[in-house]
Amino acid sequence: MSAVDFAIIGAGPAGMAAAIEAAGLDLSVAVLDEQSEPGGQIYRGIEKLLATRPQHAAILGGDYLRGAELVKKFRAAAVDYRPGSEVWSASSGEGVFYRREGASGHVRARQILVATGAMERPFPVPGWTLPGVLTCGAAQTAFKASGLVPQGRVIVAGAGPLLLLLVAQLVRAGVRPAAVLETTCNIRAALKHAFAFTNAPDYFRKGIALLRELRHAGVRVERSIDALRIEGNGRVQRVEYERRGKQSRQEADVVLLHHGVVPNGNLAWSMRARHVWDDRQRSFRPHVDRWGRSSLQNVLIAGDSGGIVGAIASEYGGRIAALAAAEACGRIGASERDERATYLRAEYDKHVAARPFLDVLYRPARRWLAPHAADTVVCRCEEVTAGSIREILARHNCPGPNQLKAFTRCGMGPCQGRMCGLTVIELLAECRHAPPADIGYYRIRSPIKPVTLGELAALDVE
C-alpha cells in the first residue's frame, strides 16, 4: 500500500493536465491508467506512433498531434505514473484499488480525481453484433495503435463529429468508404446555438474544412437514413436501410457505427456519486460543481467523465480540479486557488461554448435510442433483444433497470451495463411514459473490472 496527496484515475487529457498542475503545486501524485502509454483515447499511442510511424501523423491531424506536447510535459512532471493499472474499486474513505501485472495494489489518497473519459454511445441496430461490425472509435484505435485500416467495402453509419473525422482519416489513409449513411442532423434545432458555436475557438472553421475535404474527395454522404439493418451469414455481407421512404441495399465487408460519445461512468456510479440526467446529451453525468467536486467528500471528477466537453476543455477542467485538490490539501489558499483559476476557467468556458450546438445537432432520434426492431440485440453480454425487453415490460411492473435484471439479466454481464445501460433506460422511459431521470440507472458495484481471488488474497492492506 502507498499513500499520496492526489490519486488520479486516467491518463487522458484531463488526468495528465491535472497531474502536471498538481505536481507543480508540490502535491504527491499517483496516476493510474489502463493503457501502456499516456494519452487516453483521444491521444492514444501518440509516443509510439511518432517514434515508429511518423508518416501517419498527418493522417490523424493536428488535433491528435496536440497531445504530443501534453504527454511530454506529463512525462517530465514529478508524478508516480502507473501504466497498465486497471482500477476495480475506489472510494473517498478506502482509496483506490487496482490490478497490475497479475497483482492487486492499493493507494490511499487525500484527494481522488476520476478522469476516466468518454465511451461511444451504444448504437444497437439489427446485426450490430455480427463479425465485421465495429464502432468508429474501435477503427480509430486500430489505426492509432497499429496502423491498421479496414479493407474491402466499408460502410460508415451514424452521426457525430467523430464519424466525419474518421471518414476523413480513412480517405487520407487510402480507404474511401463505399457509403456514409448519416442518421441524424438536427440543423434547425441547433441553429439557436450557432452564434456561440461560431465564436468558440476554431470549431466552426474545422467543421467546414472537414466537410470540404470529404466533398473534394468524392465521398458519398446519404442523409436522413432510417430503418438501418446489417445482414450477413456468419459475418457482415450487406446493409439495408430506408431513405425518404425508399428502400436501399449496399454490399459491405466492414461496417463502422457511431452515435456520439457519453461519459464513461461505471467507476463514478460504483462510488455512489450523485448523477443527473443531461437531456441534451441523452445520458447521465455526475453532478459536479465549478471546481469538479462531486457529491462525495474528497472526490473530484474532470474531463469527459463528468459530461462531454471535448479534449481541450478537459485539459483546463483537469487543471482546475488540481487547484481544488491543492487547496483542500493545504498547499495553497482559497484566494490563490481562485486567482490561478481565473485564466483556466475563461479558456474552459470558451471551449465548452461549442457543446450546445454539437449536442443538439447530433442528438440521436428516439428510434435510434429505443430500438423497435424486435430482433435488435440490446444486451450483448446476455444476448437480450429489444423485443424480449418490450415483452417483459408489457407483462410486468418493472420500475427501473435494476428490477428488469430479474427478468432479463440485462446489465449482469462482464461489461456491467456499459453497452446496454442507456438503451435499457430509453426503452423503460418509452414503455413507462416517464422521463429517463425518473427511471434511474443500474446499481453498479465493485469490482467494476474482473479481479481474481489470488489477486485479492495477495493485496497488501492494513
Side-chain angles (χ1 to χ4, degrees):
M1 183 185 71
S2 58
V4 296
D5 293 322
F6 198 24
I8 299 173
I9 304 168
M16 288 190 293
I20 296 166
E21 190 78 18
L25 294 169
D26 202 30
L27 270 69
S28 56
V29 182
V31 178
L32 302 100
D33 187 68
E34 292 187 5
Q35 296 185 34
S36 59
E37 298 177 33
Q41 298 298 335
I42 186 69
Y43 303 135
R44 176 186 286 271
I46 191 165
E47 290 177 311
K48 183 179 178 181
L49 183 142
L50 291 176
T52 62
R53 296 180 284 118
Q55 69 276 15
H56 286 168
I59 293 174
L60 291 167
D63 286 343
Y64 176 73
L65 288 175
R66 174 187 170 88
E69 185 62 26
L70 183 63
V71 170
K72 183 179 179 181
K73 291 179 180 178
F74 174 73
R75 290 286 197 185
V79 170
D80 179 8
Y81 170 49
R82 308 183 189 186
S85 298
E86 291 187 344
V87 173
W88 51 266
S89 180
S91 71
S92 57
E94 296 297 327
V96 181
F97 295 88
Y98 64 98
R99 65 191 300 264
R100 184 187 186 198
E101 298 176 350
S104 277
H106 178 212
V107 178
R108 283 197 178 277
R110 299 172 66 185
Q111 296 282 305
I112 296 174
L113 174 64
V114 177
T116 49
M119 57 172 280
E120 286 185 270
R121 180 191 300 277
F123 187 6
V125 295
W128 76 310
T129 59
L130 282 171
V133 181
L134 296 85
T135 66
C136 286
Q140 197 178 57
T141 293
F143 185 78
K144 289 176 180 177
S146 306
L148 300 175
V149 294
Q151 300 296 311
R153 297 162 295 185
V154 180
I155 291 182
V156 185
L162 176 61
L163 181 141
L164 297 176
L165 175 62
L166 175 71
V167 173
Q169 290 170 344
L170 289 176
V171 171
R172 295 169 198 164
V175 178
R176 179 179 295 178
V180 177
L181 309 178
E182 193 171 63
T183 58
T184 303
C185 186
N186 309 307
I187 186 63
R188 289 185 180 179
L191 282 177
K192 65 180 180 180
H193 305 290
F195 179 78
F197 178 72
T198 55
N199 283 277
D202 229 20
Y203 291 91
F204 179 72
R205 182 194 64 79
K206 289 178 182 178
I208 293 298
L210 198 60
L211 293 173
R212 285 176 177 168
E213 181 179 357
L214 298 182
R215 191 178 302 115
H216 183 263
V219 175
R220 181 166 61 92
V221 180
E222 295 190 40
R223 296 183 169 85
S224 304
I225 299 301
D226 202 358
L228 182 69
R229 175 180 288 270
I230 305 167
E231 295 188 339
N233 183 17
R235 65 162 294 109
V236 171
Q237 293 176 317
R238 59 193 168 274
V239 173
E240 296 184 352
Y241 57 94
E242 290 181 12
R243 183 172 183 266
R244 297 172 182 169
K246 181 182 178 181
Q247 292 276 353
S248 297
R249 172 183 288 193
Q250 291 273 346
E251 301 301 310
D253 301 299
V254 177
V255 176
L256 306 178
L257 299 176
H258 180 73
H259 250 171
V261 295
V262 294
N264 183 7
N266 270 24
L267 180 61
W269 280 109
S270 73
M271 298 172 76
R272 300 293 181 263
R274 180 190 167 203
H275 283 67
V276 295
W277 177 256
D278 188 325
D279 192 62
R280 201 163 56 202
Q281 295 186 353
R282 296 304 293 184
S283 69
F284 280 102
R285 58 174 174 80
H287 179 271
V288 295
D289 68 8
R290 60 201 297 263
W291 296 99
R293 292 178 296 211
S294 73
S295 61
L296 304 173
Q297 185 178 10
N298 304 328
V299 176
L300 302 109
I301 302 174
D304 285 338
S305 53
I308 304 304
V309 295
I312 300 176
S314 292
E315 290 183 34
Y316 290 112
R319 294 178 65 184
I320 292 169
L323 293 176
E327 190 269 337
C329 291
R331 293 296 193 277
I332 57 175
S335 59
E336 183 180 353
R337 176 203 62 185
D338 294 348
E339 183 180 351
R340 286 174 175 266
T342 300
Y343 167 76
L344 301 178
R345 201 177 301 285
E347 292 299 308
Y348 176 87
D349 290 343
K350 287 180 185 178
H351 288 278
V352 297
R355 289 310 314 179
F357 179 85
L358 295 172
D359 292 341
V360 173
L361 181 66
Y362 293 118
R363 181 168 56 185
R366 176 74 64 180
R367 63 185 179 275
W368 303 114
L369 296 170
H372 284 269
D375 60 340
T376 304
V377 173
V378 171
C379 177
R380 299 173 67 114
C381 297
E382 301 293 336
E383 298 184 341
V384 183
T385 64
S388 62
I389 292 174
R390 290 182 181 278
E391 183 180 348
I392 290 294
L393 295 178
R395 291 163 43 200
H396 300 281
N397 180 26
C398 290
N402 294 296
Q403 292 76 20
L404 189 64
K405 288 180 180 179
F407 298 98
T408 65
R409 290 188 56 83
C410 271
M412 297 180 72
C415 85
Q416 293 204 49
R418 290 176 70 251
M419 294 303 298
C420 69
L422 287 177
T423 307
V424 166
I425 290 168
E426 296 284 2
L427 285 167
L428 277 159
E430 183 179 284
C431 293
R432 290 188 54 208
H433 307 288
D438 293 347
I439 299 297
Y441 197 69
Y442 288 129
R443 191 172 294 111
I444 307 298
R445 295 184 174 91
S446 298
I448 63 167
K449 295 291 177 70
V451 57
T452 69
L453 288 175
E455 290 165 343
L456 287 174
L459 188 61
D460 180 19
V461 293
E462 293 180 352

